[in-house]
Amino acid sequence: MPGTGLWRTKSVEQSIADTDDPDTKLRRNLSAWDLTVFGVAVVIGAGIFTLTARTAGDLAGPSVSVAFVLAAIACALAALCYAEFASTVPVAGSAYTFSYATFGEFMAWIIGWDLVLELAVGAAAVSKGWSVYLETVLGYIFGEGTRTTFDIGGMTVDWGALILVLALATVLTLGTKLSSRVSMVITGIKVAVVLFVVVLGFFYIKGSNYTPFVPPSQPAGESGSGVEQSLFSALLGGEGSSFGAFGLLAGASLVFFAFIGFDIVATTAEETKNPQKSVPRGIFGSLGIVTVLYVAVSLVIVGMVNYTELSTGTKADGSPDRKTLASAFSANGVDWAANIISIGALAGLTTVVMVLMLGQIRVIYAMSRDGLMPRPLAKTGSRGTPKNATMVVGLLVAVAATFFPADKLEEMVNVGTLFAFILVSAGVIVLRRTRPDLPRAFRVPWVPVIPIAAIIACLWLMLNLTVLTWLRFLAWMALGVVVYFVYSRRHSLLGKQIKENGGATPSPLPVDGADPKK
């Protein structure tokens, strides 16, 4: 029967009606400026401070700036689709909520499970990076040898990451508006540091470092062949994905991690005063600002040193020696600038972790409100925040960041995000056909051309991720399917409502501005 089973859809009207439930009601107090701050806060972080140098040294060479542009184009296409959905369905949950209204419950669960991979794993990975920079900063104060980790019982405990996650979980519990104000202050600091990098670094640029702009492809090493090479390279019979055309494409897929976060703006739609206008402005404003900064920084860094000096080396203990923005300044003897960059990175990564956790909390909140996760997680406290979901997410991220290594997490996050972008882009086409009557404050131009272009761009980036990343992604999705059939399907509120109505989907009130006769 249509509308039942795995493909039962939750109407847009029902999703909006659920936002008035007093037990799970969120407080609406965010503006377009707050959303832009959240977007910039989460996007400028790990990518610009760590991935820029490493991608240039290992994959793309001086053409890393082109890799950023290619990734930005894919993000912009997806952003158009997010903006239409968020202005049409101003409900927490982002891609999860959008998928529930278009593809049905099973696909909504899959994308919600996928967002756990993107946001929770991303927050844990960035927390580990924050701890590394904290160790560097503490070294300036207390001397070299200061560590943010210690070993116990054969296990490495990262106390720096633990302190960060617990502190941010507390801030998020106290209110979303407070989180926005904290983000605004810290984001101002890190944007100032990024501009400092561009201005100071400009005086150390050497034109010869831009040649060759796209270095010739190199024979695959241990880290560029087999399951470690891009899927696209493997399918076409390439030997590896280091430099050359394959390297540039692989670089674009990797630096895509640097743009992750603008979609989190959509998860706060339910807490925004005027979501129809503010959410699209927040999405496009944050994406435009960070793209300009990313391209400027990447051009400066590869102009300061030869790209070969930015390649990943090996430390004395055998661990990878990954280069950062600070490495380019140290190579030019500007160590004091490297110190400032380290402090800026510490501030930058703080807000990244906070907003990733915010997005994860809102997704779990939305899934719990629908019964696909335990309902108590959707309960809001006196401050209008889902305190139970916040504590659970804080605990999970804290455990992952404290006890687990962060290697390869960037690519795991990328594949999950791109999959979400594809479903949202396809959902715009579906909802235009199934619900043309819905009021849309923002409309994607040239449908279905733009959504299809977004799908193709995201698929292309996914193909340029490593084979090993794909295998891990498929394993995570398989686990999600098991969880859905064991728990979520039996506890779905929509499923229970349909059963109570004798198999008929509930008929809620129409959205304001829609014609109920259509």
Side-chain angles (χ1 to χ4, degrees), residues 38-183:
F38 273 140
V40 175
V42 70
V43 177
I44 295 183
I48 200 165
F49 288 111
T50 61
L51 283 182
T52 306
R54 181 154 61 92
T55 303
D58 295 344
L59 294 172
S63 64
V64 64
S65 57
V66 178
F68 272 111
V69 172
L70 294 175
I73 291 173
C75 285
L77 293 171
L80 289 169
C81 299
Y82 265 92
E84 174 164 323
F85 254 124
S87 68
T88 308
V89 194
V91 178
S94 186
Y96 159 77
T97 301
F98 306 156
S99 296
Y100 213 157
T102 50
F103 299 112
E105 183 175 282
F106 180 67
M107 286 305 299
W109 165 262
I110 288 296
I111 200 61
W113 186 253
D114 173 74
L115 288 172
V116 172
L117 179 69
E118 173 194 346
L119 302 174
V121 174
V126 179
S127 297
K128 304 288 282 189
W130 184 91
S131 183
V132 172
Y133 274 106
L134 176 63
E135 189 171 288
T136 301
V137 173
L138 290 178
Y140 302 150
I141 301 172
F142 302 107
E144 294 185 10
T146 305
R147 297 183 59 196
T148 55
T149 60
F150 62 88
D151 297 325
I152 181 171
M155 179 180 294
T156 299
V157 177
D158 192 330
W159 62 263
L162 175 62
I163 290 176
L164 174 68
V165 173
L166 293 180
L168 295 180
T170 301
V171 172
L172 290 169
T173 302
L174 293 176
T176 309
K177 190 68 175 180
L178 174 62
S179 303
S180 174
R181 289 170 179 165
V182 172
S183 291

Side-chain angles (χ1 to χ4, degrees), residues 2 72 95 226 229 233 262 283 362 368 370 379 395 405 441 468 477:
Q229 74 181 111
S233 173
F262 78 83
I283 290 174
R362 294 307 180 265
S368 302
D370 292 331
K379 187 174 180 59
L395 178 62
L468 184 57
M477 287 295 102

